[in-house]
Amino acid sequence: MRSKSIIYISFICAMLASSIICLAEDISGASAANLTVPKEMLPEGFKLLAVLPEMDPHVNMTEYISDFYGADDIGPAAVTVGIYQWGKPGEAYDAKVTLIQLQDEEHADAAISNYKSNPEFQKPPFVGVDRFASAFINGHNATEIRKRVNGQTLRYLYLWRNKSTVVLVEGNGDLGKSRDLASATGL
């Protein structure tokens, strides 16, 4: 009797696991084509290094969006990350464009809320410098986030949503060039 129960429980677990996998595949397959990071006509000084998972399908994309998980549920997500060189290799950090396709606008808003609640963002990057500011990118209200890099400089990030797609652009220390990279997404 006991082994029969174990078999039933194992069967139910297998069915639940397969349905979750199918759901994740459905959202990533259906929307992955819509997640295109800028590849051509990049702002001056930026060079595309890699597009993930396109260039390496074995990369765990969940790690790239770990800051978007938090108190609010974001549901399944399809992710594309573009990595750009803008300075001398080995001397400058890379710029990134992260696109996250979620199932609806509510989940996209939850992802943005989770990201902005990051403990690192609770204090200003430097005394007298606001962490957040408002920006307008490609017709959308966006949040400009000022992040401290290498202990002494600012990096400009832009975060917004276009319908159910969350866009995070991690630019460089140049406000204008960072906004240009954000605008290059077309989203």
Side-chain angles (χ1 to χ4, degrees):
M1 181 74 169
R2 192 168 199 192
S3 61
K4 203 178 219 185
S5 296
I6 292 173
I7 291 172
Y8 285 132
I9 291 171
S10 297
F11 178 73
I12 290 170
C13 289
M15 293 299 291
L16 287 173
S18 67
S19 66
I20 290 170
I21 290 170
C22 289
L23 179 61
E25 288 174 357
D26 284 348
I27 190 161
S28 64
S31 58
N34 298 332
L35 297 177
T36 304
V37 296
K39 296 179 181 178
E40 299 173 352
M41 298 180 61
L42 297 171
E44 183 181 342
F46 291 95
K47 176 184 172 188
L48 180 65
L49 296 176
V51 178
L52 301 174
E54 182 181 307
M55 295 179 143
D56 186 355
H58 302 293
V59 173
N60 180 357
M61 296 308 292
T62 303
E63 291 177 13
Y64 277 89
I65 63 166
S66 63
D67 289 338
F68 289 92
Y69 292 102
D72 298 327
D73 178 39
I74 68 169
V79 183
T80 299
V81 177
I83 302 171
Y84 303 86
Q85 176 184 327
W86 66 270
K88 293 181 180 178
E91 292 180 20
Y93 50 86
D94 295 329
K96 294 180 187 171
V97 173
T98 302
L99 305 177
I100 308 168
Q101 179 67 51
L102 298 160
Q103 60 194 40
D104 54 36
E105 293 178 5
E106 290 77 24
H107 285 92
D109 287 338
I112 288 173
S113 176
N114 289 341
Y115 188 85
K116 289 169 64 175
S117 297
N118 186 324
E120 174 187 0
F121 297 154
Q122 300 311 308
K123 295 180 181 177
F126 295 105
V127 175
V129 176
D130 291 332
R131 173 67 70 183
F132 300 108
S134 295
F136 200 67
I137 307 288
N138 297 334
H140 300 280
N141 289 321
T143 300
E144 179 181 280
I145 303 169
R146 296 163 186 142
K147 186 174 182 179
R148 185 183 186 137
V149 179
N150 301 332
Q152 59 206 19
T153 60
L154 281 179
R155 177 182 200 174
Y156 296 94
L157 287 70
Y158 293 93
L159 177 67
W160 74 96
R161 92 171 154 77
N162 182 346
K163 298 180 184 172
S164 61
T165 301
V166 173
V167 182
L168 174 64
V169 176
E170 299 173 71
N172 59 23
D174 183 305
L175 178 66
K177 287 187 179 196
S178 296
R179 282 193 181 187
D180 288 346
L181 182 60
S183 295
T185 65
L187 295 172

